[in-house]
Amino acid sequence: MFHFRPLAAFVIICALSSGAVHSDPAQWRAEWPDTDFSRSTINFAEVISGGPPKDGIPALDGASFIPVAAETRLDDREPVMTYEHPGEAPRAWPIRYLMWHEIVNDQVGGVPIVVTFCPLCNTGIIFDARIEGVAHSFGVSGKLRFSDMIMYDRQTQSWWQQALGDGIVGQHTGATLTQLPGWMESWSAFRDRNPNGLVMDEPDWRRNYGANPYVSYDSSIRPFLFEGDMPPHDIAPLMRVVRVGDRAWPLDRLRAAGTLTEAGVTLSWVKGQASALDTARIGDGAEVGNIRVRDAAGRDLVHDIPFAFAFHAFFPTGTWMLGQ
């Protein structure tokens, strides 16, 4: 079992009070009067309340940034989300802030982006926030599907699956956000590579930034608020995997090898990053390492590092890269 700190305790209390039962969209229309529930690509029985209501986990807008040299609060091993846009100063969004907000609506090089992190699935993904050329902003719906955050866009109140970037309910059903080649790495890896980079400053909210509300979650036996099949091949459901498209490389295999080149992709692992979902203090977390994913020309590739159960839930026919 893992131990709940304040945010996670609130989530589980609310979920239990509602029975965490499968919901019918008719029950949500009062909360979502502007969402077109007649348009969807999902089985609504797969959607449950995660506890907090719509915007109960507040997304951030227009984050402030400070120079790398001015940041003194982050531990070397703390994870950050990184995005290096051509012609712009590289940017980092610390997971210590995304843990409590899950979404940051931002802009880099004139391009609107949305930086996302779902703690329950360990999916840290950066998307282009334009839909058919129109900039959108996003919030946290309070709903989960296969334990993964359902986002919503503020312009049409459509629902989006964070792990996929897919529009699943509402006007934008069937659309897909473009994932950008961002990645998760340690603060020291970002800082040392980008001395002239920028890092998101601490938000002006009363939150225990730097603390992990889900103590020991990534070493628990089963995922939280998840109903679905466990991964095949005796893979632990909360093992991290490196997902590239519909392929998944188990982190333990990559860690043992250091470098793997398969299916036109080169993956590398070096130590130095703490798990954000282990100890009470994020910077003290167990070693998960820094991972880079590149093509044959050395360019960074779109990927993320979900838990194995989440990969299997969203890519049930995906390929497990086991090296056998």
Side-chain angles (χ1 to χ4, degrees):
M1 293 292 293
F2 62 98
H3 304 285
F4 295 98
R5 293 177 73 85
L7 175 62
F10 177 68
V11 170
I12 197 170
I13 289 169
C14 292
L16 291 173
S17 67
S18 66
V21 296
H22 289 143
S23 301
D24 187 296
Q27 302 175 13
W28 303 329
R29 288 196 173 97
E31 183 183 8
W32 299 88
D34 298 318
T35 300
D36 183 0
F37 287 102
S38 71
R39 303 175 64 181
S40 73
T41 60
I42 62 170
N43 178 355
F44 280 104
E46 297 169 346
V47 179
I48 64 172
S49 170
K54 177 184 181 183
D55 297 323
I57 297 174
L60 299 175
D61 299 288
S64 297
F65 286 80
I66 59 175
V68 160
E71 176 55 67
T72 60
R73 292 159 295 202
L74 302 181
D75 290 328
D76 282 356
R77 298 173 62 247
E78 277 196 51
V80 300
M81 290 298 301
T82 291
Y83 181 52
E84 298 181 353
H85 186 85
E88 297 289 328
R91 297 198 188 194
W93 294 262
I95 293 297
R96 63 160 53 198
Y97 307 140
L98 284 161
M99 182 76 78
W100 299 90
H101 297 280
E102 301 192 0
I103 291 175
V104 179
N105 294 291
D106 218 324
Q107 187 174 103
V108 179
V111 176
I113 66 170
V114 55
V115 184
T116 71
F117 176 63
C118 177
L120 298 182
C121 292
N122 197 59
T123 40
I125 305 176
I126 301 175
F127 298 104
D128 186 321
R130 293 172 296 188
I131 305 166
E132 296 181 350
V134 178
H136 284 58
S137 62
F138 294 82
V140 181
S141 73
K143 305 293 186 286
L144 300 173
R145 178 169 171 257
F146 300 137
S147 199
D148 181 60
M149 167 178 51
I150 294 177
M151 313 186 297
Y152 76 94
D153 73 72
R154 294 162 174 164
Q155 285 68 30
T156 73
Q157 302 290 301
S158 298
W159 292 7
W160 300 79
Q161 193 72 61
Q162 182 264 352
L164 301 171
D166 287 351
I168 57 174
V169 178
Q171 179 179 323
H172 288 308
T173 295
T176 300
L177 298 172
T178 298
Q179 185 176 344
L180 299 173
W183 63 90
M184 192 181 299
E185 64 182 340
S186 68
W187 165 238
S188 64
F190 176 87
R191 179 195 64 208
D192 295 348
R193 190 178 64 255
N194 299 300
N196 297 317
L198 299 173
V199 58
M200 178 181 165
D201 200 2
E202 184 169 290
D204 189 21
W205 286 78
R206 293 178 63 85
R207 297 291 187 274
N208 191 13
Y209 296 124
N212 166 27
Y214 306 94
V215 176
S216 300
Y217 177 56
D218 62 1
S219 59
S220 60
I221 298 173
R222 291 186 61 87
F224 180 48
L225 292 180
F226 176 75
E227 294 183 17
D229 295 333
M230 293 295 106
H233 312 297
D234 294 323
I235 296 174
L238 283 113
M239 174 185 285
R240 288 169 170 81
V241 301
V242 184
R243 182 188 71 83
V244 184
D246 62 355
R247 290 185 170 93
W249 284 260
L251 182 60
D252 282 359
R253 180 181 173 225
L254 175 58
R255 182 173 184 165
T259 301
L260 293 170
T261 299
E262 297 173 345
V265 175
T266 295
L267 306 94
S268 62
W269 184 96
V270 295
K271 69 177 182 179
Q273 183 185 166
S275 165
L277 297 162
D278 179 31
T279 53
R281 186 171 175 271
I282 290 175
D284 294 334
E287 181 66 57
V288 295
N290 291 309
I291 296 158
R292 296 294 291 272
V293 180
R294 298 181 172 99
D295 65 12
R299 294 171 297 206
D300 290 298
L301 289 177
V302 165
H303 69 281
D304 68 302
I305 308 175
F307 290 129
F309 82 87
F311 174 77
H312 186 53
F314 292 109
F315 297 89
T317 62
T319 300
W320 294 88
M321 305 298 288
L322 305 179
Q324 301 173 347

